[in-house]
Amino acid sequence: MTREERLLSAVIDAVDTLVDDYDLIDFLQTLCHRCTELLDVAAVGVMLVDQGGKLHVIAASDEHTRLLELFSIQHDEGPCVETYRDGTARLDIDLDEPDRTAGFPGFAERARHAGFAITHALPMRLRERTVGVMNLFGTRRQPFTETDSRVAHALADVATIAILQHRTLVHGNLEQAQLQAALSSRIVIEQAKGILAEHWQTGVDEAFEGLRRHARAHKLGLTRLSRQVVAGEIDSTDIQHP
């Protein structure tokens, strides 16, 4: 199986989680193994943040004590802590370079002692929300290529999708939640159409076209713009008649 086929398989597995009952830990363990195959790294772990802002390992490519200890000490220092705090990926961290490990010397020493030479930390995020970090370790000082970086980010995104989907299922029925959200959005759009139609003394079709054009021109979501119109946060005169 080629690298592209293995990556596609990982993505398909993630899509399956959107419709099937699945075990999150098992899925993430499998994804960690896929990472080691696709990126030629020795070990991978997925860390999630708790309500107190502390990172905890939830899945790893293996359960060796040396690896789990590297995750457990990242409550206070380590590339994962820094990546979670600012949402920025940290790639190609040579564990022998003091300049690259200045913020976490204790972690770097433990990682070297465990036999690792390089590490990478990627944020698991959706828009502005970071839910955790994916941590990768290599035994050779071999930096990621541009393709490696894209693949790593894609796998971190896959893990994020699975985690957020699981949380949605845990806290309520997904289909019902989606339906209710869609209905709520539709209601507010209809209200905004009515406001514009009355202001313009025109039909609701033209009002909707005006809303849609304004939303696209200002890079706003249609529902968001409609809420602003209904709440009076935007003057209807600011929206151009189509």
Side-chain angles (χ1 to χ4, degrees):
M1 184 180 291
T2 66
R3 187 189 207 188
E4 290 77 11
E5 289 172 333
R6 292 198 299 270
L7 179 58
L8 179 60
S9 179
V11 173
I12 290 173
D13 285 345
V15 173
D16 286 343
T17 68
L18 300 179
V19 294
D20 293 336
D21 184 23
Y22 70 106
D23 185 304
L24 177 64
I25 304 300
D26 182 62
F27 171 80
L28 292 175
Q29 292 279 161
T30 301
L31 187 66
C32 287
H33 284 291
R34 291 281 179 86
C35 287
T36 62
E37 297 171 356
L38 288 164
L39 295 168
D40 191 26
V41 291
V44 179
V46 170
M47 302 188 72
L48 296 186
V49 67
D50 64 17
Q51 293 181 341
K54 297 291 187 180
L55 290 166
H56 302 272
V57 62
I58 189 174
S61 56
D62 67 58
E63 297 295 320
H64 293 162
T65 302
R66 63 165 188 161
L67 181 61
L68 298 182
E69 285 180 347
L70 286 176
F71 294 130
S72 65
I73 66 175
Q74 293 194 77
H75 287 303
D76 302 310
E77 72 162 55
C80 289
V81 176
E82 296 187 356
T83 291
Y84 171 70
R85 286 173 179 166
D86 63 16
T88 302
R90 286 166 170 77
L91 305 179
D92 306 329
I93 301 172
D94 189 328
L95 295 167
D96 274 328
E97 289 190 10
D99 289 345
R100 296 301 309 276
T101 61
F104 38 87
F107 166 84
E109 182 180 357
R110 294 283 289 274
R112 290 195 303 269
H113 184 71
F116 298 118
I118 197 168
T119 189
H120 320 269
L122 296 101
M124 293 164 49
R125 61 188 301 173
L126 180 65
R127 300 183 182 92
E128 299 304 316
R129 179 185 180 190
T130 302
V131 299
V133 180
M134 180 176 284
N135 199 188
L136 304 92
F137 294 91
T139 55
R140 296 180 296 153
R141 290 178 179 81
Q142 180 175 327
F144 274 176
T145 64
E146 184 177 345
T147 299
D148 290 335
S149 178
R150 289 200 299 268
V151 170
H153 278 91
L155 292 169
D157 289 342
V158 168
T160 306
I161 291 170
I163 290 165
L164 294 180
Q165 170 66 7
H166 181 265
R167 290 181 177 178
T168 301
L169 292 172
V170 167
H171 289 94
N173 182 272
L174 175 62
E175 182 178 351
Q176 187 61 36
Q178 289 178 329
L179 177 60
Q180 187 58 49
L183 290 174
S184 298
S185 296
R186 189 69 240 176
I187 289 171
V188 77
I189 290 171
E190 292 297 328
Q191 290 173 336
K193 284 165 54 179
I195 291 172
L196 285 183
E198 182 178 0
H199 173 74
W200 290 339
Q201 292 297 297
T202 188
V204 291
D205 289 342
E206 290 185 26
F208 180 75
E209 183 62 25
L211 274 173
R212 188 169 62 174
R213 287 189 182 185
H214 188 87
R216 288 179 176 176
H218 294 80
K219 296 181 179 175
L220 293 170
L222 184 59
T223 302
R224 179 183 174 187
L225 174 61
S226 297
R227 288 199 177 101
Q228 291 176 339
V229 171
V230 172
E233 296 173 358
I234 183 171
D235 195 320
S236 57
T237 58
D238 293 336
I239 300 177
Q240 185 178 1
H241 191 290

